[in-house]
Each structure stands twice: as structure tokens, then as C-alpha cells.
Amino acid sequence: MRTAPARLGELLEKRGQVTREQLLRALRNQKVLGGRLGTCLLEIEAITEEQLCSALVEQYGVPCATPEDLRGIPDDVLGMLPAKIAKRCQAIAFQASTTQVKVALSDARNLAYQDEISFVVGKRIRWHVAPELRLIEALEKHYGEECPSRLAKLLDKMNRSRFLWARESAAAMATAPFPAGDQLQWDTRIAGVAAPAPAASPDSLAAVSGELPHFQHQTLDLPTLSALAVPPGFPAPPAAPAPEPVATPATLAAPTAPAQLLAAGSATPAKAPQPPFAAPEPHRRLTVDEAEQRLLQPRERDDVARVLLDFAAGLVARAVMFVVRKEEVAAWLWSGEAFDPAKLAALRLNLKQPSLFVGLKEDGAYFRGPLSKLPAHVALAACFAAPAIAGDVLVLPVKVKERLVAALLVEPRLASGAELASADLADLQRVIAKAEIAFELCIMRSKLRKA
């Protein structure tokens, strides 16, 4: 015979993790706003997410699914639980083997839900509990369930805290900063994919991701510096220094010009010292055909956004991809140096307020020019460290069926002072047009899974 689970509030108060005043305040909010008590306690910052998960484990007597468990879920596992049942029961299947399936619910003792899910799945189920907030986040990600704005704000705050904590941990462990120009920087709170960790050399510390542990980690196919050709006009990287010649009577008598110094025991003149490498090598530029090939079979929207940013990174020094969700614009992922990652990750612009993004909704519109002194533009400019954002920016919309879903911001003036060639801009617009089709394909696949 199953006993009723202990009340969450009483359990947390007994642990000394909440006060009676905090508990009463959360209960009042729950009565007005709805939702589960754990969500209301998180809203008033009475407890941490880790404390809530620990209490849920004790309350229900089953393991707790972590945020990472609910993010990188394979399609075949998601398909075991139809979207209608997942949304109604507020449950999600997140891991499967040949004999059992792991399913997380916000109410892990609801026998009616368990019976319905067991009948549909047809396998032995290992039940897990998960905070209401994380289950709604997973349902939005995998099934397109709309997340209420109240919970979206709370998720944003919690994920940003995890992001900043991860960055501080990475900074404390690293002995030197990673080179800023060798790989893309990702805001995976929006994008849904965590940044791939750089490959660690045998004599260096293990790389630590400073980004959000969001969804499934995937490897980016980024060019390495060794694979890139040195463009015309750039000095070649310095060669390994020649060994210091041994001073002998013969060498002392020889001319002292660097090109004539001989290494001891060698008849080959030692190379003259090379000038320092003056500028970093740019990203290898993708061709339109290469971008199209990568857009043919996108698994999710993040794959499409990465192709767009990869292509832009081969043209300009800095680029930012923005995602548009309802009436809000947020940084999705970005490429280049001289950003303030914390500010960019936290940037939120309301489409109801004046900004360059508002006009992008119009048919055929794009933005080209300097940023005016609007509050939204000031907040955007603050995300660019030295050098500051260029006086001339180009923002191109990405639309699906006339609906604005994303935007790409680039600085069209190159470091040399030259303008981005018109042919390059035409190629960028062609890739955006193909990306719009790929975004629509991702949406159609999502609808098929829900049908």
C-alpha cells in the first residue's frame, strides 16, 4: 500500500531550508498565480534548484531527472510518448534501453498518469520526478508546448545563473584564457546546444566549457588554424627558431649578418628571424554550395543557425545571431572577438519597444546604418567590448512564412576599412534564403512528431 507523499513545504521547513514566512509567501503566490509549490519557492528565491530536486527525491522516493537529462533526448526516445499524452501528463521519456524506459513526471505519484503512460509505451518504466519548471522547458523544446511568460522569465533567470556560475568556474580552473578567435561562442540558453569543448593538448589543462550545459553536446566542424591557408597580404606564421650557433673560431671569423650565420656542424644557412604574426587568420570561408549541403538535413534549428553564423564568420570579423520568440529578441549565438559574453547572454529586447528589430517584420525590410541612441541600441552596443560596435551595422531578417524568427547582425566594414563586397552580401542573402527553407523543414518535422 502506497502512502501519501510528505508535503513539500513541511519537508523543506523541517530541513531548515525555508522559513515559515517564505513558505506562507510562496503559498499565497501559488493561490493567485497557480503552479506547483516548488516553482513558487524558486520564484521568490527561497531555495535553489538543487535543494528542490533533493526534496522531491525524498518526497516521492524516486530519482530526480536533471536538466541535462531532459535536454539531449534522442528522437526515437521522444517518439515513445506521443505529444498529446506528454503535454497532458506533464511527462517526458528521456532515456531508453531494450528492456526499460525512463520517464520523468512533475507528479511522480499520479497513478492515472502512470497507467496511461505504461499502456502507450509498452515497456517496463523507471519513474523519475522532475521540477515542474524543467519539464515545461523540455516540453517546449521537444514538443513545441508554449511556455507561459511567467515561467519563461524564471527559466531565463535560472539558466543565466548557471551560465555565469559555469564561466566563473572555468576562469578559476584555467591557467590562461583560451584564444578568442578560434571557435564560435554560443548562448545555448536560447540555442539549445552547448558549446563544444576545445580539444585539450596533452600538456594543457582539460578544457572547461564556460557556456550553459544546455541540451545535447555536439561537435562543430570548425576549421583549425593549421588547416587554413595564409591569405595574401598576411605575414606567414613564424617558423620554429633556429638553434643558436656554437661560437667557434671559424664562426667568429665569419660575417655576422643573420643570413650568413651557420649552425654548428651544418652547411645550411640558418633562417633569419621572422617578424611576429601580425593578425589572426580568419575563419575559412564556406562557399554557398557547402552551406547548402549542410542545410539539407538539419536535425534542429540550432544546426541551421550554426551554418548561417559559420558562413558569416568567413566574411566579417564579428557577427551575432538573434532569435525572435513572440515579442522578445535575444542573442542566440555569436562569432568573433571583443564581446562581453555575460552581457550578450543576458540581453533581452522587447519588440514592443523601439529598436532596429521592429522594422524587420515588414516585407522586404532590413537595417543598414548607425545605431541611434535608443535604450535598446545602448544595451546592444554595451555587449561589444573594445573595439566598440561599428558605426555602420547590417541586420538581415530570417523569416518563415513571413514570420520573423531570427536576425543576423554583422559589421559590413572590414578591419582594413574596406566595405564588404556586394558579391559577398549577395551570397549571404542566398544562404539566408536557403536557411529559411531549412528552418521551415525543422518546424514541419516538429509538427510531424506531435501529430
Side-chain angles (χ1 to χ4, degrees), residues 398-432:
V398 181
K399 296 182 178 181
V400 174
K401 293 184 177 179
E402 305 304 320
R403 177 172 170 263
L404 183 66
V405 296
L408 177 66
L409 182 150
V410 300
E411 296 170 312
R413 189 176 294 276
L414 307 181
S416 62
E419 290 284 340
L420 191 62
S422 57
D424 293 336
L425 286 174
D427 285 347
L428 183 57
Q429 288 176 319
R430 280 197 290 270
V431 173
I432 287 177

Side-chain angles (χ1 to χ4, degrees), residues 237-318:
E244 195 72 19
V246 179
T248 65
T251 58
L252 289 174
T256 57
Q260 294 174 329
L261 285 175
L262 299 179
S266 172
T268 304
K271 292 184 179 180
Q274 298 288 333
F277 192 43
E281 297 187 22
H283 290 272
R284 183 183 72 82
R285 177 177 173 178
L286 292 177
T287 67
V288 176
D289 289 340
E290 288 173 330
E292 182 178 14
Q293 286 298 316
R294 289 175 58 180
L295 290 170
L296 286 177
Q297 294 293 331
R299 293 188 57 190
E300 54 185 350
R301 289 173 294 177
D302 307 284
D303 299 329
V304 181
R306 280 203 299 272
V307 175
L308 266 180
L309 200 66
D310 260 349
F311 189 85
L315 302 177
V316 297
R318 293 189 294 190

Side-chain angles (χ1 to χ4, degrees), residues 38-190:
T39 302
C40 297
L41 287 168
L42 289 173
E43 279 185 310
I44 65 173
E45 299 182 353
I47 57 173
T48 66
E49 185 175 4
E50 290 72 21
Q51 289 173 333
L52 174 59
C53 290
S54 175
L56 290 174
V57 170
E58 183 176 345
Q59 182 186 21
Y60 290 103
V62 296
C64 185
T66 67
E68 290 72 27
D69 288 334
L70 303 180
R71 284 169 179 160
I73 306 176
D75 290 342
D76 58 337
V77 177
L78 286 172
M80 293 180 174
L81 194 59
K84 291 181 181 179
I85 296 177
K87 294 175 184 179
R88 184 173 65 253
C89 299
Q90 211 168 84
I92 195 161
F94 63 91
Q95 197 176 102
S97 65
T98 55
T99 58
Q100 70 174 11
V101 180
K102 293 183 179 180
V103 177
L105 302 93
S106 58
D107 184 359
R109 288 281 182 94
N110 191 312
L111 297 181
Y113 287 167
Q114 289 187 11
D115 290 343
E116 184 175 6
I117 293 170
S118 298
F119 177 79
V120 171
V121 172
K123 287 187 177 182
R124 179 169 169 257
I125 295 180
R126 185 179 180 190
W127 302 105
H128 286 61
V129 68
E132 174 192 40
L133 202 64
R134 291 303 180 185
L135 273 170
I136 292 176
E137 181 185 40
L139 290 172
E140 181 186 42
K141 155 70 179 173
H142 300 295
Y143 294 109
E145 175 76 352
E146 184 176 345
C147 180
S149 59
R150 167 201 172 198
L151 299 184
K153 291 178 181 178
L154 179 57
L155 277 168
D156 177 58
K157 181 171 67 173
M158 291 171 57
N159 286 337
R160 194 184 316 141
S161 298
R162 292 167 68 91
F163 166 78
L164 295 174
W165 179 86
R167 289 190 61 82
E168 291 171 0
S169 299
M173 294 181 65
T175 57
F178 294 118
D182 290 356
Q183 74 173 35
L184 301 180
Q185 309 296 318
W186 302 94
D187 175 20
T188 57
R189 178 188 64 260
I190 302 298

